[in-house]
Amino acid sequence: MYGVATSPLHQPTPLRESPRLSAAAGADVLLKLENAQPGGGSFKIRGVGLLCQRASALWHGGGGRGVGGLHFVCSSGGNAGMAAAYAARRLGGRSTVFVPRSTASSTRERLQEEGASVQVVGDAWDETNEHALRVSTEEGDGCCYVHSFDDPLLWEGHASLVHELKATMAAGSKPGAVVVSVGGGGLLCGVVRGLREVGGWGDVPVIAVETQGAHSLHAALSAGELVTLPAITSVAKTLGAKRVAEQAFTLAREHAVFSEVVSDRDAIDAVQRFLDDERMLVEPACGAALAAVYSGVVRRLVAEGRLGPRPGPIVVVVCGGSGVTLGQLREWREQLGMGPE
């Protein structure tokens, strides 16, 4: 237990050139390594950390007391829950994380190791979230509900990624595009917010990548309205929100956002190639963003002139995630008929 933290719970992450991904993209590629974050190796700690800190400050400032401190309740496929559990421990509180049945046992074990009480509810995140919200409402004072992606404080925290990027890149330069994976859309909201805040980057496009079977943003944009997927069928379970955040849908129509959908095979192939190329193991949700490079999406957008006549470097947010092991990677490859790596 660290007690109440006043500095951000996230850490600045490296920005690294990748010659191999640059060759695959046909353009310079920079990797924003959010997989180096504490609290589960995911960008989630930026927003979740900020939300939990603000809630803790308000509770303590209002004279809140209780055994074990403020109780943080989160519904998650894994990464937001890891961030919430880490934040709770750092802030001297406690955490309960509700996960759907699709969450791997290894992820549940890591959540418990981080100090969370883990409860399995529902087949998909949406059902799990309804239960978590009900529990936090019934508990009332002393309990803080932590949404996985749909909260302005989360977007404010995630926007710090772009502020950090602006401070790291050479003066006067800017990305040709920022590539993000999309589940519920929290990272997309934060990145667009950050691009608008830093000055001079408001026209930088975002390549928003989903896997087929978890493509709630693309489905909404195609329909012209928010839609709810009937089920999550992708192996990228941490992208598994059947309905994208309304703010993500709105921003995707206001900002220069290219919505792209890749297959599970593309995402898993990207995970494998990234492991070989960069010696880092990330989960399929992160593989979706990487697949924009490896499967030719970025190369196509550059060739079509969609990113401008002379685009700057393509920044790929390596969103990371704790829900992967080498054993799971082999299982996914077998499940998809991809053969041995």
Side-chain angles (χ1 to χ4, degrees), residues 169-256:
M169 291 185 67
S173 65
K174 65 180 182 181
V178 179
V179 184
V180 300
S181 295
V182 175
L187 179 58
L188 173 63
C189 291
V191 166
V192 172
R193 174 174 176 157
L195 291 172
R196 293 175 171 180
E197 289 176 344
V198 298
W201 284 19
D203 60 343
V204 172
V206 177
I207 303 172
V209 193
E210 300 170 283
T211 50
Q212 184 68 41
H215 57 293
S216 55
L217 174 63
H218 191 80
L221 292 172
S222 297
E225 61 182 2
L226 286 168
V227 298
T228 302
L229 298 179
I232 298 298
T233 57
S234 170
V235 299
K237 298 304 181 184
T238 55
L239 296 183
K242 291 192 288 186
R243 188 180 182 91
V244 75
E246 183 176 359
Q247 178 71 355
F249 174 65
T250 298
L251 290 176
R253 298 202 293 178
E254 291 179 355
H255 193 82

Side-chain angles (χ1 to χ4, degrees), residues 18-169:
S18 176
R20 290 199 170 186
L21 272 80
S22 297
D28 292 336
V29 170
L30 300 177
L31 304 173
K32 184 60 172 163
L33 297 177
E34 288 298 290
N35 55 324
Q37 289 288 1
S42 163
F43 76 93
K44 291 282 190 180
I45 190 58
R46 290 183 182 270
V48 170
L50 177 65
L51 187 155
C52 292
Q53 280 184 298
R54 295 273 180 89
S56 183
L58 285 172
W59 191 67
H60 286 287
R65 296 290 184 271
V67 177
L70 191 60
H71 181 201
F72 297 96
V73 172
C74 181
S75 59
S76 171
N79 294 321
M82 287 292 294
Y86 174 79
R89 181 168 61 83
R90 287 290 306 274
L91 296 168
R94 59 193 178 95
S95 60
T96 298
V97 179
F98 294 93
V99 300
R101 279 185 277 273
S102 58
T103 302
S105 59
S106 59
T107 299
R108 298 199 294 268
E109 289 170 5
R110 286 193 176 90
L111 285 164
Q112 291 170 334
E113 290 167 1
E114 193 59 71
S117 170
V118 180
Q119 298 188 34
V120 181
V121 177
D123 292 319
W125 174 86
D126 304 72
E127 181 183 348
T128 308
N129 184 57
E130 289 178 6
H131 182 81
L133 185 56
R134 183 166 59 252
V135 167
S136 61
T137 301
E138 291 172 354
E139 185 169 332
D141 188 44
C143 182
C144 174
Y145 166 69
V146 181
H147 200 285
S148 290
F149 56 84
D150 197 359
D151 190 299
L153 280 176
L154 297 178
W155 311 331
E156 180 182 340
H158 298 336
S160 65
L161 185 155
V162 181
H163 286 264
E164 205 172 284
L165 185 62
K166 179 72 176 288
T168 306
M169 291 185 67

Side-chain angles (χ1 to χ4, degrees), residues 295-320:
S295 70
V297 170
V298 170
R299 183 178 284 275
R300 169 173 54 81
L301 291 172
V302 170
E304 291 172 352
R306 307 288 294 281
L307 306 182
R310 296 176 61 85
I314 308 301
V315 176
V316 179
V317 179
V318 182
C319 55

